Amino acid sequence: MLRDLRQQARLTMEELAEASGVSGRAIGDMERGRSRVPQRRSVVALAEGLGLADTEREALLAAARAGRSTGEVAVAGTAVPPRSVGDFTGRHRELARLREAADRSRSGVSVSVVSGPPGCGKTTLALKAAADLAGEFPDGCFVVDLHGVEGPVDPGEALLKLLKALGVSDRRLAQEDAQGRAGLLRAQLGERRCLVVLDNARDEGQVRPLLPPGGRSLVLVTSRRPLTGLEDVDRLALSEMAQAEAVELLSRILGKERAEAETGAVARVAELCGRLPLALRVAGNWLTVRSGWSVEHLVRRLTDEERRLGALAAGDVRVEAAFELSYRQLTSQAARMLRLLSLVPGPDMTAAYGAALTATDVFEAEDVMEDLVEAGLLQASFTGRYQLHDLLRLFARTRLSREEEPGEQEAAEERLRAWLLETATVAGRRVDGAPPASSQSLVPLESPEQARAWLESEAPAWFAALRGAAARGEHTRVVETAAAMEWFVGLWALWGHWPEVFRLSSEAAAALDDPYLQAVHLNLYSWTLADCEQRYREAIERADEALECARRAQDASQQAWALNYAALAHYYLGESQKGFDKVRAAVDLFEAAGDHEAWLAAMTFQRIFPRELGRAEEALVLHERIIAFLDAPDCPVRGHVADRCRAKTISGLGRDYAALGRWREAADHFRSGLLQMRRIGVPDVEGSLLLDLGQALIELGETAEARSCLRQLLALGDTADSNDLKAARKLLDSLPGE
């Protein structure tokens, strides 16, 4: 039949192999009768490649089914127990979970649902567990393929197979209707201790009639969906393998000698396969057949993302085909959502991304994305967030290019980019205390805390959107987004990408030929170079450029900021007099311009230099002037800026008193500053204050509290300054024993 259909379509074996994804050798074996029981998914792929009408497709599937024996259910004791893959690797935690389920079945029926995306190894895991546990189920082990994706088996058909495997006679079966047979199965399993694997279930309705309500049996169900409608079941979500397990699996397929000869390339193949077992096995099998190929040769092929899915094919199994089968079951709305989600630049997402891409509300998008989770094509990583596996992302992107008009793809990308940058801009301003935006947003940004949480959690996506906007010449959008981050930088200085953010914005400002905007963003660029990456000479260069732009724009405030940021870099370089001269000039300019907030920031910085120059009394006067300004009833500066400056000033007073040897007053101010910093959440500054307080307490002889402070600093780990951590360890070692 296959040969006739191929010839009618005027296709060679090679052409059909190309169209279907099934290898030419496998097609030849089927046509010659050497392969009498081809895999169903292979036959479905051939039907698709031949472009068969429904009647012809069903006839071809029926012919394939006819070649199969009725022994599709394996019975322990009378047939070979379920056979697992010989090179099964890893999954120790998951196997332990299934063993626990087997232990529970001693006192009552136990059902476990193993779910996950296509190709993650659900069936392999279930068969491995069944093979390992077969000895604990003396009344038999049974495996039924429910073909949940490619033409699901009717529950009644599966019921009959199980009853016959249990030894129920045809006569008895003929006497019962569907309801009676279901009762008969429950009775049979209720009296025995069996292990049943229901593989590849489509939905709850297909599985429910096959579950015994009692007895001491174990039922393992595999499905791309978590089957949340089933009650009283244990659920085990399967995803990609750990990197070490993925490398081990590839090594076992390739052979130890070959794998050890190219360890780096083997590890890279594992990464490029997304550590997905199906993809790993396909890649490994391909290399096994092509023994003359180096592993590095496959790496080069897989590195090309456009060819990666097509390259992962071996025999009659294609990774893309596994995904395609699930994709064809989706509603048009869900299929479109999957395609568009491939545009998300970050590692995971919320329903708001789906809403932005599809121009719908969050609740509608969430419903559709949950459908994708149910289909096993999207993973729910934790409450409210979703992940798209790397290979599924590539599959979805391929479908996007094939099925969406270029204009619609560009429109969706623009919707997502616009939403990310608009939300980032609103959130950045909200962090600084701006009132909530009046317009409706896809995410709640009612408080500075919510805004900060969004900016941090979605940073990979909005940062990628900012890069994309810069590449597209959307200069105004880039400038506005970066400007909104001005005060958020201080809360998250350790992010690592701030210099690039403000480099992009200063370039955008230059493209707009606006010297004022250039000055603003070059100043911010200078600040982040010094404060975030310790590139002090570059910071001074950018500040000098900003000063020149500000003079061209005749803007006193930006001139002052340029002097202030140059002073910051001089301070870090130990050039205190140069720094002091520039920051004093900046304070005067801010005061003349009436820029109270900037004046406060510059004053908070200026008060450091006198102490550095050995003039602690002069520093005390500056600190007290700042506190008096903040305490004034009509103080024009409020919110986060005022809180941060107050905390820094109180801490600075402590350092001034410490420089004067007034340790009690120093310790009191360090404690007060520490409380302030913890309230506004600045862990890197918190570490420095803990060190200062610890040193003051040691001077006062209060070693117990000092030890506690230093240990708190060490507990901050990487969030604290490395030099502070070293100093804390040294001080702790110097303290007498407890």
Side-chain angles (χ1 to χ4, degrees):
M1 182 182 290
L2 178 59
R3 184 188 298 113
D4 289 344
L5 290 169
R6 177 176 60 78
Q7 291 174 349
Q8 289 171 24
R10 299 183 179 277
L11 294 174
T12 65
M13 284 188 190
E14 290 75 16
E15 289 170 338
L16 179 55
E18 179 66 22
S20 65
V22 179
S23 72
R25 178 177 178 179
I27 294 171
D29 286 346
M30 290 182 217
E31 291 190 357
R32 296 182 182 91
R34 294 175 182 169
S35 176
R36 296 184 178 274
V37 283
Q39 295 183 33
R40 182 181 174 85
R41 64 183 176 188
S42 299
V43 181
V44 170
L46 288 169
E48 293 290 329
L50 290 164
L52 299 183
D54 289 346
T55 54
E56 292 176 318
R57 180 178 183 276
E58 289 305 315
L60 185 64
L61 288 168
R65 282 197 299 270
R68 294 192 174 118
S69 68
T70 58
E72 200 166 352
V73 179
V75 186
T78 60
V80 179
R83 186 183 66 184
S84 64
V85 178
D87 53 17
F88 185 91
T89 303
R91 304 295 196 193
H92 303 297
R93 182 185 66 85
E94 292 83 357
L95 285 171
R97 282 273 301 274
L98 296 180
R99 177 165 289 281
E100 290 171 3
D103 293 340
R104 289 196 300 272
S105 71
R106 296 180 184 279
S107 56
V109 66
S110 179
V111 181
S112 289
V113 176
V114 181
S115 65
C120 72
K122 301 180 294 294
T123 298
T124 304
L125 175 68
L127 292 181
K128 169 65 174 173
D132 290 351
L133 298 169
E136 299 183 26
F137 295 89
D139 296 316
C141 292
F142 314 87
V143 180
V144 179
D145 188 348
L146 298 177
H147 299 292
V149 179
E150 72 274 32
V153 171
D154 181 85
E157 181 182 348
L159 193 66
L160 281 172
K161 289 181 177 181
L162 273 172
L163 286 169
K164 292 189 73 171
L166 286 163
V168 179
S169 67
D170 289 344
R171 180 188 294 270
R172 177 69 189 276
L173 292 173
Q175 293 172 348
E176 303 285 349
D177 58 14
Q179 188 173 354
R181 289 170 187 163
L184 190 57
L185 178 65
R186 288 194 293 270
Q188 290 285 328
L189 292 178
E191 298 169 358
R192 307 186 189 193
R193 179 161 167 75
C194 304
L195 192 159
V196 180
V197 177
L198 302 176
D199 189 36
N200 200 13
R202 174 165 184 162
D203 53 31
E204 293 89 337
Q206 193 186 26
V207 172
R208 198 172 279 115
L210 307 177
L211 299 180
R216 296 180 296 115
S217 293
L218 171 65
V219 182
L220 304 181
V221 184
T222 72
S223 176
R224 294 183 181 182
R225 302 172 182 268
L227 305 183
T228 52
L230 296 180
E231 298 178 352
D232 298 323
V233 304
D234 184 46
R235 289 184 175 80
L236 178 58
L238 212 58
S239 60
E240 67 270 18
M241 304 180 83
Q243 176 69 6
E245 292 180 345
V247 169
E248 183 182 356
L249 174 58
L250 273 174
S251 300
R252 295 183 69 173
I253 296 171
L254 295 175
K256 183 178 179 181
E257 182 175 326
R258 189 177 182 190
E260 288 181 349
E262 294 185 79
T263 54
V266 170
R268 184 64 179 138
V269 169
E271 293 171 358
L272 291 169
C273 288
R275 306 193 304 277
L276 198 67
L278 174 60
L280 292 166
R281 190 165 297 285
V282 169
N285 289 347
W286 201 15
L287 283 169
T288 300
V289 172
R290 295 162 177 79
S291 56
W293 275 25
S294 67
V295 183
E296 184 60 39
H297 184 75
L298 180 59
V299 169
R300 287 194 295 272
R301 287 182 65 92
L302 295 180
T303 301
D304 181 354
E305 287 196 353
E306 294 299 320
R307 298 174 57 191
R308 192 183 306 173
L309 285 170
L312 289 172
D316 60 351
V317 177
R318 278 185 182 268
V319 174
E320 189 171 13
F323 298 159
E324 178 69 25
L325 291 171
S326 280
Y327 179 74
R328 287 207 305 268
Q329 305 297 320
L330 298 175
T331 64
S332 59
Q333 190 180 22
R336 180 170 181 263
M337 177 69 81
L338 180 67
R339 295 192 297 269
L340 293 180
L341 289 178
S342 69
L343 298 173
V344 174
D348 58 8
M349 67 204 78
T350 64
Y353 286 78
L357 283 163
T358 57
T360 57
D361 63 52
V362 174
F363 296 109
E364 183 179 347
E366 186 175 47
D367 287 343
V368 178
M369 291 169 78
E370 286 296 328
D371 287 343
L372 292 174
V373 172
E374 286 287 313
L377 294 172
L378 192 65
Q379 293 171 265
S381 55
F382 52 90
T383 304
R385 299 198 73 84
Y386 303 90
Q387 289 179 327
L388 190 61
H389 190 280
D390 289 347
L391 291 179
L392 280 165
R393 187 185 296 272
L394 288 173
F395 171 81
R397 195 171 297 162
T398 300
R399 287 291 162 192
L400 180 69
S401 62
R402 292 179 188 173
E403 299 179 30
E404 296 284 353
E405 294 293 330
E408 172 51 27
Q409 180 176 338
E410 291 172 8
E413 288 179 319
E414 165 59 23
R415 287 194 296 271
L416 180 62
R417 187 168 60 253
W419 171 71
L420 283 167
L421 295 182
E422 287 168 9
T423 307
T425 301
V426 171
R429 292 170 179 161
R430 189 77 185 98
V431 166
D432 189 27
S438 56
S439 60
Q440 291 292 323
S441 174
L442 294 176
V443 293
L445 299 173
E446 296 302 312
S447 68
E449 292 74 23
Q450 283 182 326
R452 177 178 177 178
W454 188 90
L455 285 169
E456 291 185 6
S457 63
E458 312 310 324
W462 67 254
F463 181 45
L466 187 75
R467 281 174 164 168
R472 289 169 174 79
E474 298 171 358
H475 305 308
T476 300
R477 182 177 279 174
V478 171
V479 165
E480 289 178 350
T481 304
M485 301 297 155
E486 180 176 358
W487 292 107
F488 178 53
V489 177
L491 294 174
W492 202 29
L494 300 176
W495 179 35
H497 297 291
W498 292 119
E500 184 174 355
V501 168
F502 294 111
R503 176 183 62 79
L504 293 173
S505 64
S506 59
E507 290 171 354
L512 292 170
D513 195 23
D514 187 322
Y516 169 74
L517 286 178
Q518 280 183 270
V520 170
H521 290 274
L522 282 167
N523 273 326
L524 293 170
Y525 188 13
S526 172
W527 173 30
T528 55
L529 284 169
D531 214 38
C532 300
E533 293 200 351
Q534 297 78 52
R535 291 154 62 183
Y536 304 123
R537 293 299 176 196
E538 290 179 65
I540 293 171
E541 291 172 6
R542 300 292 83 74
D544 289 345
E545 290 176 20
L547 182 61
E548 178 57 33
C549 289
R551 284 171 175 162
R552 284 197 288 123
Q554 298 182 340
D555 187 278
S557 286
Q558 288 305 317
Q559 291 177 50
W561 278 119
L563 290 164
N564 190 75
Y565 291 137
L568 176 68
H570 286 302
Y571 167 74
Y572 283 129
L573 288 168
E575 298 168 354
S576 296
Q577 191 58 56
K578 287 183 179 180
F580 192 28
D581 292 341
K582 288 186 176 181
V583 76
R584 277 193 302 183
V587 166
D588 292 341
L589 281 168
F590 282 135
E591 191 167 19
D595 193 336
H596 301 292
E597 191 172 289
W599 176 87
L600 177 60
M603 278 290 293
T604 305
F605 181 33
Q606 181 188 357
R607 45 95 195 175
I608 297 173
F609 287 98
R611 185 175 65 250
E612 294 290 321
L613 293 167
R615 304 199 294 267
E617 294 285 0
E618 184 181 339
L620 273 175
V621 173
L622 288 174
H623 281 118
E624 288 165 354
R625 184 181 174 191
I626 295 169
I627 293 295
F629 173 82
L630 291 169
D631 286 344
D634 58 347
C635 178
V637 182
R638 294 279 189 271
H640 171 74
V641 175
D643 289 343
R644 188 177 176 89
C645 288
R646 183 182 294 277
K648 283 188 171 183
T649 303
I650 292 171
S651 306
L653 278 166
R655 294 187 179 106
D656 293 340
Y657 285 122
L660 294 168
R662 295 161 63 175
W663 296 109
R664 178 57 62 195
E665 291 160 293
D668 290 343
H669 281 84
F670 288 143
R671 286 194 189 94
S672 180
L674 188 59
L675 288 173
Q676 294 277 344
M677 285 297 180
R678 283 174 170 167
R679 184 173 64 82
I680 62 177
V682 189
D684 53 325
V685 179
E686 179 185 335
S688 296
L689 282 172
L690 284 166
L691 180 62
D692 289 334
L693 179 55
Q695 290 172 322
L697 291 167
I698 290 171
E699 293 291 339
L700 291 167
E702 299 173 7
T703 55
E705 187 181 352
R707 186 180 286 108
S708 174
C709 289
L710 297 171
R711 286 174 176 170
Q712 288 177 57
L713 168 54
L714 294 177
L716 292 174
D718 293 339
T719 59
D721 182 86
S722 59
N723 291 326
D724 289 343
L725 292 170
K726 290 177 184 176
R729 292 190 189 97
K730 186 175 181 180
L731 283 173
L732 273 173
D733 291 341
S734 70
L735 292 176
E738 296 182 56

